Amino acid sequence: MLGAAVALAAAVAVTIVVGALYLRAPRATRVHEGQVAPDLTLPSVPEGRPTRISMLHGGPAVIVFFDSTSPGNDAYFRYLERMHRRYYRRGLRMVGIALDRDASGIPEFIQRNNLTFAIVSDPGGAAIASAYGQPREPEAYLLDPKGRVMTVWTDRINWGNGSGKEMIEKYLEAPGPGHM
C-alpha cells in the first residue's frame, strides 16, 4: 500500500514538472503584445551588410515577419508586397526575416516576386529563436514607433478582413486626398 502511494506521488510530481516545463517553454521566450520587440542585427539580402531591424522601422507602424522563401510562399509574399505598397505612403514599413537554411536563393526570390520591402536573413532561425522564441512559419508582429508589439500573428496575415485591416490602419497616418 505504501509503495503504491509513493509511486502515485512520484507520478503526480513528474506530471506536474513536465507540464510546467511544457506550458512555460513556448511562452517563456515568445514576445507578447505590449512588450518591446527584441532588436536584432542580421545580414540584408542581397547585399549581405549587417542590418539592425530597428533601423528599418522609420514609420508609425512596422510589420516584422518571419517566413521562408520557399517556392510555395510566392503568393503570400506577393500578398504582403501589395499590402506594403498600399500602406507605405501612410507610414507602414515591413521587414521580412527569411529563415531559409540556404540563403543563396533569396535574391532570386525577391526579384521574381518584385519585393520592395526590406529582407534580412536568419538561416535556420537561430537568432529569431533566441530573441523571440522558436519561430512559426509564418509569424508576424505589428510594432508601434517605439518598437512595442501591438499585434502578433502566428499564421498568415490577413489584412483584407475587417479586424486585420483595422489593426494595421489604426497605427497609420490618415490617408491624403485622393487616397483610398
Side-chain angles (χ1 to χ4, degrees):
M1 187 84 146
L2 183 61
V6 170
L8 179 60
V12 169
V14 167
T15 302
I16 290 171
V17 169
V18 169
L21 291 173
Y22 174 79
L23 290 174
R24 199 182 143 137
R27 293 184 179 100
T29 57
R30 179 83 41 212
V31 177
H32 299 283
E33 291 180 11
Q35 295 177 322
V36 174
D39 195 11
L40 299 171
T41 300
L42 297 167
S44 63
V45 179
E47 301 85 6
R49 72 178 173 272
T51 304
R52 275 186 74 189
I53 302 300
S54 62
M55 298 307 292
L56 299 172
H57 292 184
V62 179
I63 293 177
V64 176
F65 70 93
F66 320 138
D67 211 338
S68 65
T69 60
S70 62
N73 286 338
D74 284 65
Y76 182 57
F77 273 78
R78 285 192 299 268
Y79 174 81
L80 293 173
E81 178 63 24
R82 284 192 306 276
M83 180 173 58
H84 176 250
R85 289 180 187 205
R86 177 180 178 130
Y87 291 120
Y88 183 83
R89 288 192 187 119
R90 291 183 55 199
L92 179 67
R93 300 298 179 258
M94 292 181 66
V95 180
I97 301 177
L99 302 175
D100 306 67
R101 291 198 182 282
D102 177 8
S104 65
I106 299 173
E108 191 274 327
F109 182 90
I110 292 169
Q111 184 176 7
R112 179 175 72 237
N113 291 292
N114 298 312
L115 303 178
T116 60
F117 52 81
I119 303 277
V120 296
S121 177
D122 182 15
I128 293 299
S130 68
Y132 285 80
Q134 188 61 40
R136 298 178 190 169
E137 292 181 40
E139 184 172 320
Y141 296 82
L142 176 65
L143 311 180
D144 73 5
K146 294 179 181 177
R148 276 191 321 253
V149 176
M150 304 315 296
T151 299
V152 178
W153 290 279
T154 55
D155 199 354
R156 297 194 186 280
I157 300 171
N158 183 358
W159 62 275
N161 73 19
S163 63
K165 187 175 182 179
E166 285 176 21
M167 182 56 68
I168 293 168
E169 288 186 350
K170 178 176 165 180
Y171 297 100
L172 299 177
E173 298 168 0
H179 189 276
M180 298 186 357

